[in-house]
Amino acid sequence: MRTYRRKLPNRRGGYTQAASVGGTKLYLRTGEYEDGTLGEIFLDIHKEGAAFRAVLNCFAIAVSMGLQHGVPLEEFCDAFLFTRFEPNGMVQGSDTVKFSTSIIDFVFRELAISYLGRFELAQVEPEQLMQLAGGLKPESHAPGLANANGGMTPLFPEAANEAPAPEPAPLPIQVHAHAGAAKPGTSAYKAAREKGYTGDPCPECGHLTLVRNGACLKCQTCGATTGCS
């Protein structure tokens, strides 16, 4: 333990861990020296009484002062781990700690795992985290059972030997022209255009006697319109 205080740099590293202990939201913030060792902690409780928040803030200041005066983090962890009081129980938001006996127990479990490598205090091992982070392999395999040679024995060998069925060829799209339709360039179309008609066939009678009627077309033969009343 030092007789002087080792101050932290003005711009310092660290991390913020948000978690919920027994339904109580907690924020743990750390400050580090240039060499990565822990130098201070901050504790913030969401929606708790003023007295409880003040006690936690004073506790965090006391721990920070001890760290800056040379008290090893191991001493704090050994003193406050497994401290039991409410809120306690299930922990949400942490990758490694899933249950704690109190907020203080969670804080020093998190610090011991992150800065001391004491993974025996975690409920989730680093290997399990790596497996979860790895996810599924990009290639997909047919369902089967592992055999003695390290390969996979298909669950349905007769299906594995069958050749895939060819995809059916798409049906050709056939377009049928209207019986009374006149194509541009034909004699009927030209004759209708010369008489003042549009040249389009009437959807009701098929005659080429459509004229403009506002925004629609009207047939001079049967009186039908193309949508207007």
Side-chain angles (χ1 to χ4, degrees), residues 27-192:
Y27 293 93
L28 167 64
R29 297 178 177 87
T30 66
E32 301 173 355
Y33 289 104
E34 295 88 341
D35 57 0
T37 57
L38 182 64
E40 65 180 358
I41 63 171
F42 297 93
L43 297 177
D44 191 13
I45 299 294
H46 182 61
K47 292 184 179 179
E48 287 294 333
F52 190 33
R53 295 184 65 177
V55 170
L56 281 180
N57 288 335
C58 293
F59 177 78
I61 293 174
V63 172
S64 300
M65 294 294 292
L67 292 171
Q68 294 170 24
H69 280 83
V71 178
L73 178 60
E74 294 89 337
E75 296 293 333
F76 285 112
C77 293
D78 293 339
F80 294 109
L81 280 171
F82 308 107
T83 305
R84 182 179 296 275
F85 60 86
E86 293 185 353
N88 55 24
M90 300 299 296
V91 176
Q92 296 179 346
S94 174
D95 293 334
T96 55
V97 181
K98 299 302 179 182
F99 184 87
S100 66
T101 58
S102 65
I103 289 178
I104 300 300
D105 175 62
F106 166 76
V107 168
F108 285 100
R109 281 179 185 268
E110 174 66 32
L111 295 177
I113 294 169
S114 300
Y115 289 97
L116 302 178
R118 294 182 58 178
F119 293 103
E120 72 276 6
L121 299 173
Q123 284 89 22
V124 180
E125 297 294 333
E127 292 78 7
Q128 295 174 320
L129 288 176
M130 294 178 62
Q131 292 176 0
L132 293 175
L136 298 176
K137 295 182 179 180
E139 65 272 12
S140 59
H141 301 280
L145 300 175
N147 54 35
N149 297 326
M152 296 294 293
T153 301
L155 291 178
F156 307 100
E158 63 280 0
N161 296 328
E162 294 179 357
E167 296 183 359
L171 296 176
I173 300 176
Q174 299 180 356
V175 179
H176 300 278
H178 192 277
K183 297 181 180 180
T186 61
S187 57
Y189 176 82
K190 291 181 179 180

